[in-house]
């Protein structure tokens, strides 16, 4: 495979748990929209047979791969396993994408084009020209308020730090200390964005259209929201405490 211009070999990681109704459709759309990228389905032993369907797709398409995991361990763990697999296989960039169609594969070239001049690209619902479609008002309110809180608590300029449609250069992932990440659910996305920002990497946002899933059930829960709020508060407090100590040390008497 020649790779994507300006980026190199790209792996799209699609974590799945009970996505039998969606996996064929999303794989077909990715392959049609970006024929030069590979796909890794990271399945958490879905009871509905998603993993078996993924195996069928991989058997007839060399660009499709499957990573079978022993059980449901959360979104963050699935992506970290996928990142490790992609790095071991020599990919230059990896992409996070939901299986349910909420992240349009047709917009993937936009993310990859931006990655040519960046280290991390976030697909954003909340920059100019970004939008959501058919999303319940309460979910949109939680997302917008959550992202506002992230910006205020962490002092991070990103408009959509919770979004899950994004691309990373693999050398960047190697510097984010992924083995220390304990975040699950959507807090995982904030964690990676925060680490990328603190690390001084080139992080950019491009507008996307997020569409509510038509088939299957959302994995969002109140516990995921609580985890994100608690951890963002801890990170923000810690960062301000460190900054305060440095300021005091810098202004203290010379020794």
């Amino acid at each position: 495979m020649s790779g994507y211009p300006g980026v190199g070999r790209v792996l799209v990681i699609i974590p799945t748990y009970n996505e039998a109704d969606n996996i064929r459709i999303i794989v077909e759309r990715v392959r049609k929209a970006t024929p030069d990228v590979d796909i890794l389905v990271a399945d958490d032993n879905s009871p509905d047979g998603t993993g078996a369907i993924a195996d069928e797709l991989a058997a007839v398409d060399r660009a499709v791969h499957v990573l079978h995991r022993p059980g449901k361990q959360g979104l963050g763990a699935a992506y970290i396993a996928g990142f490790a697999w992609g790095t071991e296989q020599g990919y230059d960039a990896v992409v996070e994408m939901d299986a349910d169609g909420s992240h349009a594969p047709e917009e993937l070239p936009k993310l990859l084009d931006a990655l040519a001049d960046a280290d991390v690209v976030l697909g954003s619902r909340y920059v100019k020209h970004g939008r959501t479609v058919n999303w319940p008002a309460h979910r949109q309110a939680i997302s917008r308020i959550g992202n506002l809180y992230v910006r205020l608590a962490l002092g991070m300029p990103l408009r959509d730090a919770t979004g899950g449609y994004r691309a990373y250069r693999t050398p960047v992932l190697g510097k984010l200390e992924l083995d220390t990440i304990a975040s699950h659910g959507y807090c995982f996305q904030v964690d990676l964005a925060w680490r990328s920002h603190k690390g001084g990497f080139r992080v950019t946002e491009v507008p996307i259209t997020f569409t509510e899933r038509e088939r299957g059930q959302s994995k969002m829960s109140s516990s995921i929201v609580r985890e994100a709020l608690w951890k963002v508060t801890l990170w923000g407090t810690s960062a301000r405490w460190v900054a305060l100590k440095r300021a005091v040390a810098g202004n203290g008497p010379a020794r």
Side-chain angles (χ1 to χ4, degrees):
M1 186 183 72
S2 59
Y4 195 88
V7 178
R9 297 182 65 217
V10 177
L11 179 70
V12 176
I13 303 170
I14 304 176
T16 56
Y17 185 78
N18 287 348
E19 296 288 357
D21 292 337
N22 293 310
I23 191 61
R24 291 184 188 276
I25 297 171
I26 196 66
V27 168
E28 180 180 350
R29 288 176 64 186
V30 172
R31 296 292 290 129
K32 183 177 180 180
T34 49
D36 292 331
V37 310
D38 284 3
I39 298 170
L40 175 67
V41 179
D43 184 65
D44 277 9
N45 196 26
S46 299
D48 71 348
T50 301
I53 297 173
D55 283 336
E56 294 175 9
L57 298 173
V60 297
D61 189 342
R62 294 177 58 186
V64 179
H65 310 274
V66 185
L67 179 62
H68 292 283
R69 290 160 40 77
K72 189 176 182 182
Q73 301 174 35
L75 184 71
Y79 273 129
I80 289 175
F83 294 160
W85 190 93
T87 300
E88 291 170 0
Q89 298 299 317
Y91 287 92
D92 300 296
V94 295
V95 174
E96 298 182 10
M97 180 185 292
D98 286 353
D100 59 16
S102 57
H103 301 148
E106 294 75 18
E107 293 189 302
L108 180 53
K110 187 191 308 183
L111 273 70
L112 296 179
D113 288 344
L115 194 63
D117 297 310
D119 298 311
V120 180
V121 176
L122 309 183
S124 179
R125 297 159 288 186
Y126 306 130
V127 296
K128 186 177 181 180
H129 302 306
R131 65 191 186 110
T132 61
V133 176
N134 297 331
W135 218 22
H138 74 281
R139 286 283 303 278
Q140 186 160 172
I142 290 172
S143 177
R144 285 185 176 275
I145 293 171
N147 273 287
L148 175 61
Y149 183 69
V150 167
R151 289 199 302 278
L152 294 175
L154 302 181
M156 190 166 56
L158 303 174
R159 306 290 300 181
D160 195 355
T162 64
Y165 196 9
R166 48 180 66 181
Y168 295 89
R169 290 188 177 275
T170 49
V172 171
L173 293 173
K175 299 176 182 178
L176 297 184
E177 300 181 343
L178 300 181
D179 57 331
T180 66
I181 291 181
S183 305
H184 301 284
Y186 295 92
C187 187
F188 172 78
Q189 307 296 8
V190 180
D191 199 340
L192 281 190
W194 176 228
R195 291 173 185 236
S196 300
H197 174 71
K198 287 193 303 178
F201 295 107
R202 299 171 299 169
V203 183
T204 189
E205 294 183 273
V206 298
I208 63 165
T209 296
F210 178 94
T211 305
E212 174 70 339
R213 66 160 63 224
E214 295 181 355
R215 295 168 294 276
Q217 291 186 329
S218 170
K219 310 302 189 297
M220 174 63 77
S221 68
S222 59
S223 63
I224 289 175
V225 175
R226 287 195 301 270
E227 180 202 28
L229 288 174
W230 172 244
K231 289 197 171 183
V232 167
T233 301
L234 287 180
W235 297 335
T237 302
S238 176
R240 281 164 171 74
W241 177 244
V242 170
L244 177 60
K245 288 197 296 184
R246 286 176 178 170
V248 170
N251 294 327
R255 296 189 178 182

